[in-house]
Amino acid sequence: MAGIAHPAENSAHTVPAPRRPLPPGAAGGRDWYERVLGWPTAPGEPVRLVTGRRFDVLDVPAEAGRAALRHLGPASPVMARGGRTLLLVAEGTADELPGLLRWLEWGDLPLDLRALGAGALVEAPPAPPPGAGAVLPPARGRSGPQGAAVWLRPPDPGCEVEPSLPTLSAVGGAAGSPDLVRIVDTVATHCHRIRLRRANAQPLACS
């Protein structure tokens, strides 16, 4: 794929720190992310996840996110927040996205999607209860109370997240990893449709 750098060339993959058991009575917030999942969080409240170290995040409108779900595996983590869907994708995707959109011939169009990589933070949804699986998107594309982030497909505490994340097939991702190219093309198509609908709904300007 010409013009697209490999994530392995752009980011240093680090071995996650050993996971420690939760102390008795610990709540499923920061401790759950850091100690159970091994995900880094930023200091302060609310709890925010650090992107670009274990995963990047593809932030798209809820409609585009729903269309992408069929291309994801059941273990691929997905969040919702304020009418947006946040797809966890392979580390390095934020660097790959502009070139990938150009290769897919979406590069010249204004699309309502972005990838969050190194240096970015995302609000951490509340830890799901034990045994929780996938849930339906909130009504009308909304999130939790007052637009708070929620898990649509929570991460599996018993597995490393990386094998379940969308990645470029040519990079040599784990067998069965979702295809990042297909997902980006799907969400870009739906973002373009949303933009056209909004443009057609605008009242004609009076001359």
Side-chain angles (χ1 to χ4, degrees):
M1 187 179 300
I4 300 177
H6 289 176
E9 298 170 358
N10 285 336
S11 57
H13 293 272
T14 58
V15 177
R19 297 174 183 175
R20 295 168 291 170
L22 285 171
R30 190 183 306 277
D31 283 330
W32 187 77
Y33 285 106
E34 292 188 346
R35 302 190 186 192
V36 176
L37 297 180
W39 292 4
T41 65
E45 297 293 338
V47 179
R48 294 170 297 170
L49 304 176
V50 179
T51 61
R53 292 172 62 179
R54 297 290 303 279
F55 52 82
D56 288 357
V57 169
L58 188 60
D59 181 349
V60 302
E63 177 182 326
R66 286 194 297 270
L69 291 180
R70 67 179 182 270
H71 299 308
L72 296 171
S76 299
V78 181
M79 309 178 207
R81 184 178 189 275
R84 310 283 297 180
T85 299
L86 283 71
L87 310 169
L88 271 63
V89 293
E91 177 190 353
T93 295
D95 294 329
E96 299 282 347
L97 185 62
L100 180 54
L101 288 171
R102 288 193 299 270
W103 185 79
L104 292 168
E105 300 184 350
W106 290 111
D108 295 331
L109 295 173
L111 300 173
D112 184 17
L113 63 88
R114 62 176 181 147
L116 306 175
L121 302 172
V122 294
E123 177 187 342
V135 300
L136 294 175
R140 298 183 182 179
R142 297 182 184 274
S143 304
Q146 299 180 350
V150 295
W151 281 114
L152 298 183
R153 293 185 181 182
D156 184 350
C159 301
E160 297 294 337
V161 69
E162 287 83 356
S164 70
L165 301 181
T167 186
L168 288 173
S169 300
V171 177
S177 296
D179 184 357
L180 179 64
V181 174
R182 178 174 294 181
I183 290 168
V184 169
D185 194 38
T186 296
V187 298
T189 299
H190 282 266
C191 286
H192 181 54
R193 291 174 181 171
I194 294 169
R195 187 176 69 90
L196 291 178
R197 284 204 307 268
R198 290 174 178 170
N200 292 335
Q202 294 296 323
L204 295 176
C206 296
S207 55

